[in-house]
């Protein structure tokens, strides 16, 4: 079957997808996970289809179809490519919530005291989008060298870009598409919240708040390892230095929030929006 062949050819993509399905379901509920997955895939696929034909939003690029007989393609776009947007967006949005929400220690790690307002805010949309683009800064240059590792050469640009062969228009496209997909996920979340669709399950799912950020870090580490594996040392060190300062700032911010004296107010606001939540002790 072509589906099994696709999974066998791109096992790492489906491992990341499985982490998304587990983590997103634990954090946001099954309905949100499925609806967001479908909406995210469709919007990503539309954006790629548009770009390979019209040059918008990523600039003009093309897919090399030498794996068409080995994996699923959808009207000229590899299935795994558009699917990747879904778990990358989830990881970026989840990390944005961790950064922007009050955080409380719990017996199993961290409890994020998010509110409906934080989930739906445009600042969360923007921060999640920037984090999403940061992933692409690491991913795209090494993906463009796919002929040197097990990805294979699946795409190319009509004109060589200034950032290790990647044009700036590509990052602008990720900025636009990431913003739209996160905004759509937020509207789905709001709609289900208004219809009392639960997404909290107390402590039955430990570590649910760190799965998304963990996936984000896992994707970064995976791509940086591949970069050094193919001996693109300059590309790898540039990637490390690009993410080093944001990573230090995020770590420092979370550490500060864990010692916040306004924790009780944050707990009350969280429970007001999510009354099913079972919070750890103060």
């Amino acid at each position: 079957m072509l589906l099994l062949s696709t999974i066998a050819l791109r096992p790492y993509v489906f491992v990341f997808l499985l982490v998304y399905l587990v983590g997103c379901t634990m954090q946001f509920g099954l309905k949100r996970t499925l609806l967001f997955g479908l909406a995210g895939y469709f919007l990503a696929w539309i954006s790629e289809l548009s770009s390979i034909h019209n040059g918008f939003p990523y600039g003009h690029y093309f897919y090399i179809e030498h794996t068409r007989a080995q994996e699923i393609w959808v009207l000229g776009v590899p299935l795994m490519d558009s699917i990747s947007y879904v778990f990358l967006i989830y990881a970026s949005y989840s990390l944005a919530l961790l950064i922007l929400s009050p955080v409380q220690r719990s017996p199993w790690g961290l409890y994020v005291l998010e509110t409906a307002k934080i989930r739906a805010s445009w600042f969360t949309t923007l921060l999640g989008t920037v984090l999403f683009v940061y992933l692409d800064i690491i991913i795209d240059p090494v993906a463009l060298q796919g002929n040197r590792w097990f990805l294979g050469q699946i795409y190319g640009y009509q004109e060589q870009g200034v950032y290790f062969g990647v044009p700036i228009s590509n990052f602008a496209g990720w900025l636009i598409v990431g913003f739209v997909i996160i905004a759509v996920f937020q509207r789905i979340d709001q709609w289900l919240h208004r219809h009392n669709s639960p997404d909290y399950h107390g402590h039955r799912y430990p570590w649910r708040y760190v799965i998304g950020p963990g996936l984000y870090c896992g994707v970064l580490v995976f791509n940086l390892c591949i970069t050094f594996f193919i001996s693109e040392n300059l590309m790898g060190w540039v990637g490390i230095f690009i993410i080093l300062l944001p990573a230090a700032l995020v770590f420092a911010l979370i550490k500060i929030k864990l010692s916040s004296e306004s924790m009780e107010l944050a707990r009350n606001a969280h429970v007001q929006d999510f009354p099913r939540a079972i919070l750890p002790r103060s």
Side-chain angles (χ1 to χ4, degrees):
M1 291 177 61
L2 197 56
L3 177 59
L4 295 178
S5 177
T6 303
I7 295 173
L9 187 65
R10 313 290 184 197
Y12 54 96
V13 172
F14 290 92
V15 169
F16 290 143
L17 180 63
L18 179 61
V19 174
Y20 156 74
L21 291 172
V22 173
C24 194
T25 300
M26 289 180 177
Q27 185 170 0
F28 299 111
L30 182 59
K31 288 183 181 178
R32 288 168 175 81
T33 300
L34 297 178
L35 288 174
F36 172 58
L38 292 172
Y41 172 81
F42 177 74
L43 291 169
W45 175 76
I46 285 291
S47 71
E48 294 193 283
L49 189 67
S50 171
S51 209
I52 61 178
H53 290 291
N54 308 309
F56 179 82
Y58 307 106
H60 288 283
Y61 72 99
F62 55 89
Y63 281 108
I64 302 168
E65 301 190 8
H66 70 270
T67 62
R68 179 177 280 277
Q70 298 173 271
E71 62 180 322
I72 298 173
W73 287 60
V74 183
L75 297 181
V77 179
L79 175 70
M80 68 92 186
D81 209 64
S82 301
I83 279 181
S84 299
Y85 280 72
V86 174
F87 60 74
L88 296 178
I89 285 284
Y90 155 69
S92 303
Y93 178 68
S94 182
L95 180 57
L97 288 178
L98 175 62
I99 294 170
L100 295 176
S101 302
V103 178
Q104 179 183 345
R105 287 189 180 92
S106 80
W108 39 263
L110 300 176
Y111 193 99
V112 178
L113 296 166
E114 59 191 349
T115 63
K117 183 178 180 180
I118 294 174
R119 275 195 185 187
S121 77
W122 289 113
F123 191 73
T124 304
T125 316
L126 181 59
L127 179 58
T129 303
V130 171
L131 292 169
F132 178 62
V133 175
Y134 259 79
L135 281 175
D136 188 51
I137 291 173
I138 306 300
I139 293 172
D140 235 306
V142 69
L144 196 58
Q145 304 293 326
N147 61 313
R148 298 168 60 187
W149 55 290
F150 47 83
L151 174 66
Q153 192 69 47
I154 62 170
Y155 77 104
Y157 294 98
Q158 293 185 5
E159 296 182 5
Q160 187 174 17
V162 297
Y163 181 71
F164 297 106
V166 181
I168 299 301
S169 60
N170 175 73
F171 302 120
W174 274 61
L175 193 70
I176 294 169
V177 174
F179 189 90
V180 170
I181 296 178
I182 292 177
V184 167
F185 177 56
Q186 290 173 307
R187 303 295 84 77
I188 291 172
D189 181 40
Q190 285 180 302
W191 181 78
L192 289 173
H193 190 74
R194 286 195 300 269
H195 288 78
N196 297 316
S197 178
D199 58 356
Y200 276 88
H201 303 276
H203 289 297
R204 184 167 37 161
Y205 300 135
W207 297 99
R208 66 182 180 276
Y209 291 112
V210 297
I211 293 177
L215 175 60
Y216 188 96
C217 295
V219 171
L220 283 179
V221 170
F222 172 81
N223 282 274
L224 285 171
C225 287
I226 294 295
T227 304
F228 285 108
F229 175 75
I230 63 175
S231 300
E232 286 288 349
N233 296 327
L234 176 60
M235 185 192 299
W237 283 112
V238 167
I240 287 175
F241 282 116
I242 284 174
I243 65 174
L244 197 58
L245 178 59
L249 291 174
V250 168
F251 179 80
L253 180 60
I254 293 174
K255 187 174 181 180
I256 291 171
K257 291 194 298 181
L258 284 171
S259 59
S260 172
E261 296 179 357
S262 58
M263 189 62 67
E264 196 60 35
L265 291 175
R267 286 166 60 91
N268 293 338
H270 178 75
V271 173
Q272 183 177 352
D273 284 342
F274 306 106
R276 296 181 179 89
I278 302 175
L279 273 64
R281 294 180 180 179
S282 301

